[in-house]
Structure formats: structure tokens, C-alpha cells
Amino acid sequence: MSSCSQKLVLDNGVTSLDDGALLTVSGVGFDYQSIPVLDNVDLSVNRGEFVALVGPSGCGKSTLLNLISGLLPPSTGSISANGIVDSPGRLGNVSYMQQRDLLLPWRTISENCQLGLELRNISADTSKALVQELAKSFGLSDVLEYMPSQLSGGMRQRAALMRTVLPDNHVLLLDEPFGALDAITRNVLQKWLLSVLTRTDKAVLLVTHDVEEAILLADRVVIMASDPGRIVAEVDVRLVGSNIESSFTSPAFVELRKNILALLERRGVSS
Amino acid sequence: MRLIHNYMWQAVKNWYPAILTFAVLIVVWELCVWFLEIQRWLLPPPTIIFQELIDSIGLLTRHAGITVVEIIMGFAVSLMIGVALASGIVWSRAMERSVYPIIIASQTIPIFTLAPLLIIWVGTDIMSKVIVVVLFTFFPLVVSLVTGLRSVDSESVDMFRTLGATNAQIFRKLMIPTALPNFFAGMKVAAVVSVIGAVIGEWVGASGGLGWLMKLSGPQFQTARVFAAIVVLSVVAITLFAVIVAIEKWSLRKYPSTLNQAKNLGE
């Protein structure tokens, strides 16, 4: 059966800044109108690693992604993504998929996916060819000429992810990509995402409030608490040799889920 | 061919209640004039107006041409001013706070009273009429454009920024396409009021145009000619409106229509 290595690193014990880290967040704080939203956040994601960030609503998970993407500058501390420390400089160099698909209703799916390449002035022929190639693994080949309004929520979400990953940046941020989907579609897409990203050399950071999703998809789960948002624990959740179908019921999965929920709850009560 | 036939059949189906109502009104009007023995200089029956339209078609089209040129020039100037002002208002907070209130306040001034001043300042040539058309049309254009450009949501802007878009790219590829449906709504309003603007301008001081012809014909009790001019003006306004609707349909052909959404619900 599956074995699992489990390691809890509490509070400020996160110090892994090894050479493999594509994304490094160190001592980052963020104040909004002099109210602290994030406090002293340390986080690193290595090449080829998938990290999930879980925490209660309003703990600043999305704010952290906005800081990493370069949309906002941190109030304190520093962020380095693929070696870029300057906040505006990270715009366009960190792939960021927001919660809503944000597909432009007047563009076909293909044109929507080409957007990132188009903004880099890559020729339409080249970007269209790239979209057609990638569409195969995204299951979107047949709907590339459709308008977004003709697609289901799950398909739209895939298209949004394809638009996000096409510029081929090394750091990929996902903000609850399946949050608005029904349970069945969500499950299908989780499996699919795992198969798409499993052989990637990107550093992936996923924000979710779904603990099962975090365990299923990630190599490591980072737990946040709120007021102000901070990292309180890290759990290694690599389920070695397991397949997805049996994961949900495997003893290791259940154990991990229990531990993470306990960590989230403990923080919730104490704060 | 079949497509055109279908399209026309659709148009007839859409419009027949309006056409039928209009026809009934015309018949009632005709009968009233005949049976109540109303003087023709007071209210000519539709048949006489139609006769006048045919008899004076050369005169009417010549003056319609003058009015149409005024409308098109005014509309073009208004479009340039409107786009520039709306872009400025949306881009710059300073401009929004300084210019926008004045633009709104300016609409409380009855433009009819400004027309005589314009005649004094720029004379009775085409310029004064163009300015009156601009005064009538720039407001709906600015307001609709500002509303449209503002309807862009901040998340979409963020999405563009994370893809590395410049401000100019965000404006061109996100804000303008988002604003288009609102913009065309403003264009349609502007098209209708532009005809009113040109006629008012001609009324106050001109040497040609349908408004001038009406002003001239009234005191001579050529009432049928006044009505004929009104008919031509309506045709001008409806044509202008139809042209804008056609451009709108073409420009927004990729936008999700209510028809598309209904189809999806059925799937």
C-alpha cells in the first residue's frame, strides 16, 4: 500500500531556501490601509514542486498570490520568482490563474488562449499553432473556434488554465481554479490537472480551501491562519505509489486529512 | 437568395404591427380631413402630402443633401471630441473631477438659445449648423463611452497585467471592446438628436437645408411642403439609425447575444 512521509514544521520553522527554489517568499508582510493583512510570510517552491496553500477565508491567500504575481508590492520582505525580485518586473513572468475564468466573451476560445502570446507580439500564426498543439492535452481541440458563452464551466476553466500556462513561465499560481465548479466536474478536473502537471518542471503554488484537493494535488501543504495572515505549518503530503482512485480512502490520506484539519481548527480556535 | 428571402420575411414579421398601426393612422387622418372638411393649408391630407413629395422631390432632395452634410460633419466632429473626452475622463482622475461635471452641467443649457449666439459668432454658413449638431450629439457619446469604459472589471485588468500587458494594450484589447455595446447605444441616441440639431441650426440662420425650407414654407401656408420636409427628415433619421444598427451588428457579431444564451440553456 501507499506509504507516506509526514513532517510537520510549525510556525516559523520554514527555512528551506535551497538552490532548487524557483519561488522564494521571505519575511513578506503586507498592510492594507495600515491594517496588517500578511505578516512575516516565508515560503519557497522548488522546480517541479506542487505546493498547496490552505487556510480560512480572508487569511490573505489571494493577497499573497497578488504579491507574488507582481500586481502588488509587498510592504516588507522580498519575493523572488525565477530570479526576479522587482515587483512590476514579475508581471508577465509569473503565470497566474485567478478564481474566475475571465475569458473575453468577444473572442473565440483559441483567441482567448492566444492572448498572453499576442501581448508579447508573437505572430498570430505561431501562437495559433501553439494553442492547437496544447489543446490536445487540454481536451479543447474540438471547441477552439467556439465562443466562451457556448462552453460549460469546466471547459471554460480549462481554457483559462491554457491561457495562463501558454506563456510558459516557470512559476505557476492557481487561485482556487475549481472553486466555482460542481463536485463531479471538480473531481474530473483535479485528476486531469494532476496528469497535466505531473511531469512539469514548473514551480506550482495552488490556493484552495479544500483540504482533500490540497492533499490530492500537492507535494506539500502549507497552512495559513488569519488576522494577520501568516504561515503556521507545513505538511509533506507525498503519497508514494498511490493512484488517485484509491487515494480518498487510503489510510494515509485519511490520516493526513485529519492532521491538516486539526491544524486548521487549532489555529481557528486560538486566534 | 434564400437567405435574403428569409431575412426579408423576418423583417416583415418583426415590423408588421408597426406598419399596420401606421397605415391605420394615415387612413384615419385622410378620412378626417375629407369628412370634417378641414382646410388644406391648415392640415393637408396624406395624399396631398404625398403629391407634394413627388412634385417637389428635386427641391426636397437638394435641401436634404445640405442637412445630411451638416449632420455627417457634426457627427464626425462629435465622435472625435467624444472619444477624446471620454478617454481622458476614464484615464485621468484630475480630468474626471474637472471636466465631467462641466460636461453634465452644460446639458442644462437649452441649446436652442445658443444657436442665435453661434450665428453671431461664426455666421450663417455650414459651420454654425455643424457646431449645433456637435452640441447635441457629443453628450450621449461621452456619457455612453465613459460608462462603457468604466464597466471593465478590475480582475480582468489584473489578468491582462499578469500576462504582461502595457496600459495601451489594456486600453485597446480590453477596455475598448468592453465599451463597444454601450458606445453603440450612445451612437443611436446621437444619430436621432443629430437630425434635431441640424434642423434647429438651420431654423435660426441658414440659406438652405430642410429646416430652412420648413421655416420658409410655413409662413407661406405651404403646409403640405412642411409635412413633406418632415417626412424626408424622418427618412434621413431612420436611415442614419439603420446604418448605425448595421455597423453595430457587424462590430458586435462575436459578442454573446441573448439568442446564443437561450440556445445554450436548451442544450
Side-chain angles (χ1 to χ4, degrees):
Chain A
M1 283 304 287
S2 62
S3 67
C4 90
S5 61
Q6 185 179 343
K7 175 182 68 183
L8 300 187
V9 186
L10 291 174
D11 283 325
N12 296 320
V14 191
T15 47
S16 66
L17 296 171
D18 64 354
D19 296 330
L22 272 175
L23 171 64
T24 314
V25 176
S26 40
V28 160
F30 183 74
D31 301 338
Y32 181 72
Q33 294 176 342
S34 73
I35 297 160
V37 178
L38 289 172
D39 180 45
N40 199 26
V41 172
D42 289 304
L43 179 72
S44 76
V45 185
N46 295 331
R47 187 181 296 279
E49 194 182 20
F50 196 132
V51 172
L53 204 57
V54 296
S57 300
C59 73
K61 300 183 297 257
S62 295
T63 305
L64 184 57
L65 293 196
N66 284 341
L67 292 171
I68 295 169
S69 69
L71 286 170
L72 296 169
S75 304
T76 55
S78 70
I79 296 166
S80 166
N82 203 25
I84 306 168
V85 182
D86 166 52
S87 274
R90 284 196 299 277
L91 288 172
N93 292 304
V94 172
S95 293
Y96 181 12
M97 181 178 166
Q98 290 146 291
Q99 285 182 38
R100 284 169 53 212
D101 60 64
L102 301 171
L103 295 173
L104 303 173
W106 56 85
R107 283 173 173 243
T108 63
I109 295 302
S110 179
E111 288 165 345
N112 263 293
C113 294
Q114 284 166 255
L115 183 65
L117 303 172
E118 183 185 321
L119 294 171
R120 291 180 176 191
N121 299 318
I122 290 169
S123 80
D125 290 341
T126 312
S127 63
K128 188 153 190 162
L130 284 167
V131 165
Q132 280 166 350
E133 184 56 38
L134 198 60
K136 290 173 192 162
S137 57
F138 274 66
L140 293 169
S141 292
D142 296 337
V143 296
L144 282 180
E145 297 311 315
Y146 281 46
M147 303 309 287
S149 59
Q150 297 172 291
L151 262 58
S152 66
M155 293 282 245
R156 291 174 62 113
Q157 219 61 25
R158 283 191 213 194
L161 183 65
M162 192 155 111
R163 177 192 62 208
T164 310
V165 300
L166 259 167
D168 205 25
N169 296 311
H170 294 293
V171 178
L172 174 60
L173 311 173
L174 305 170
D175 191 358
E176 301 201 18
F178 312 128
L181 301 176
D182 63 89
I184 297 164
T185 312
R186 195 183 167 95
N187 204 254
V188 171
L189 283 192
Q190 283 168 348
K191 285 178 200 164
W192 165 79
L193 182 68
L194 207 57
S195 70
V196 171
L197 293 176
T198 210
R199 290 173 302 276
T200 181
D201 61 346
K202 295 181 194 305
V204 185
L205 182 60
L206 166 85
V207 159
T208 179
H209 55 239
D210 181 340
V211 173
E212 289 179 357
E213 179 173 285
I215 301 170
L216 189 68
L217 295 176
D219 302 318
R220 188 151 53 94
V221 174
V222 174
I223 297 156
M224 283 184 79
S226 52
D227 300 314
R230 62 202 185 279
I231 290 171
V232 290
E234 279 195 33
V235 185
D236 195 325
V237 295
R238 248 168 293 218
L239 295 165
V240 181
S242 69
N243 67 50
I244 300 159
E245 304 299 337
S246 62
S247 290
F248 281 115
T249 49
S250 75
F253 185 93
V254 174
E255 181 70 13
L256 279 172
R257 187 171 167 276
K258 205 177 81 186
N259 283 336
I260 292 170
L261 284 173
L263 279 166
L264 278 166
E265 260 168 47
R266 196 176 70 199
R267 292 293 153 176
V269 171
S270 67
S271 63
Chain B
M1 205 47 213
R2 192 183 164 75
L3 202 80
I4 294 166
H5 182 260
N6 279 347
Y7 184 78
M8 283 178 68
W9 179 238
Q10 194 62 42
V12 168
K13 270 207 316 203
N14 285 340
W15 289 100
Y16 89 90
I19 294 167
L20 205 68
T21 310
F22 187 70
V24 168
L25 281 174
I26 294 289
V27 170
V28 170
W29 177 356
E30 184 80 29
L31 292 175
C32 279
V33 173
W34 289 112
F35 284 103
L36 302 175
E37 290 176 359
I38 298 169
Q39 296 289 321
R40 283 188 186 174
W41 57 265
L42 200 62
L43 182 68
T47 44
I48 299 293
I49 295 167
F50 188 68
Q51 188 62 47
E52 173 65 23
L53 257 176
I54 291 167
D55 292 347
S56 314
I57 194 70
L59 181 79
L60 287 166
T61 45
R62 196 169 71 243
H63 288 285
I66 295 169
T67 306
V68 166
V69 169
E70 291 161 1
I71 289 170
I72 289 172
M73 283 178 71
F75 211 92
V77 174
S78 200
L79 210 55
M80 285 188 275
I81 295 174
V83 170
L85 275 176
S87 309
I89 287 163
V90 171
W91 260 152
S92 135
R93 185 115 186 95
M95 194 149 159
E96 182 196 344
R97 300 183 83 165
S98 58
V99 178
Y100 206 31
I102 294 173
I103 290 175
I104 291 164
S106 76
Q107 290 306 298
T108 60
I109 303 167
I111 296 165
F112 197 89
T113 61
L114 286 180
L117 288 173
L118 285 170
I119 302 296
I120 296 169
W121 293 334
V122 299
T124 55
D125 67 352
I126 190 166
M127 211 46 216
S128 59
K129 267 71 72 186
V130 171
I131 293 173
V132 177
V133 172
V134 170
L135 290 176
F136 266 92
T137 52
F138 91 98
F139 185 71
L141 289 176
V142 170
V143 172
S144 65
L145 254 179
V146 168
T147 311
L149 291 169
R150 286 237 182 93
S151 67
V152 171
D153 68 311
S154 61
E155 284 175 65
S156 295
V157 175
D158 282 350
M159 185 265 285
F160 267 74
R161 289 177 66 205
T162 59
L163 290 173
T166 61
N167 282 342
Q169 283 175 323
I170 292 172
F171 192 71
R172 214 170 65 241
K173 293 177 191 289
L174 176 64
M175 297 182 76
I176 289 180
T178 306
L180 272 188
N182 275 296
F183 175 64
F184 278 109
M187 285 272 281
K188 284 186 262 186
V189 175
V192 174
V193 296
S194 69
V195 177
I196 301 171
V199 169
I200 287 176
E202 288 169 359
W203 205 272
V204 177
S207 51
L210 288 171
W212 176 82
L213 189 68
M214 285 160 74
K215 196 192 172 193
L216 202 73
S217 307
Q220 297 174 356
F221 296 107
Q222 288 178 308
T223 320
R225 185 168 287 175
V226 176
F227 274 102
I230 291 173
V231 171
V232 175
L233 271 176
S234 298
V235 171
V236 168
I238 291 168
T239 308
L240 206 61
F241 195 84
V243 167
I244 289 169
V245 168
I247 299 171
E248 178 188 32
K249 274 197 172 157
W250 184 83
S251 304
L252 304 184
R253 67 195 179 284
K254 288 188 149 186
Y255 285 59
S257 66
T258 44
L259 198 79
N260 267 338
Q261 277 154 12
K263 198 179 78 192
N264 277 333
L265 282 175
E267 276 172 8

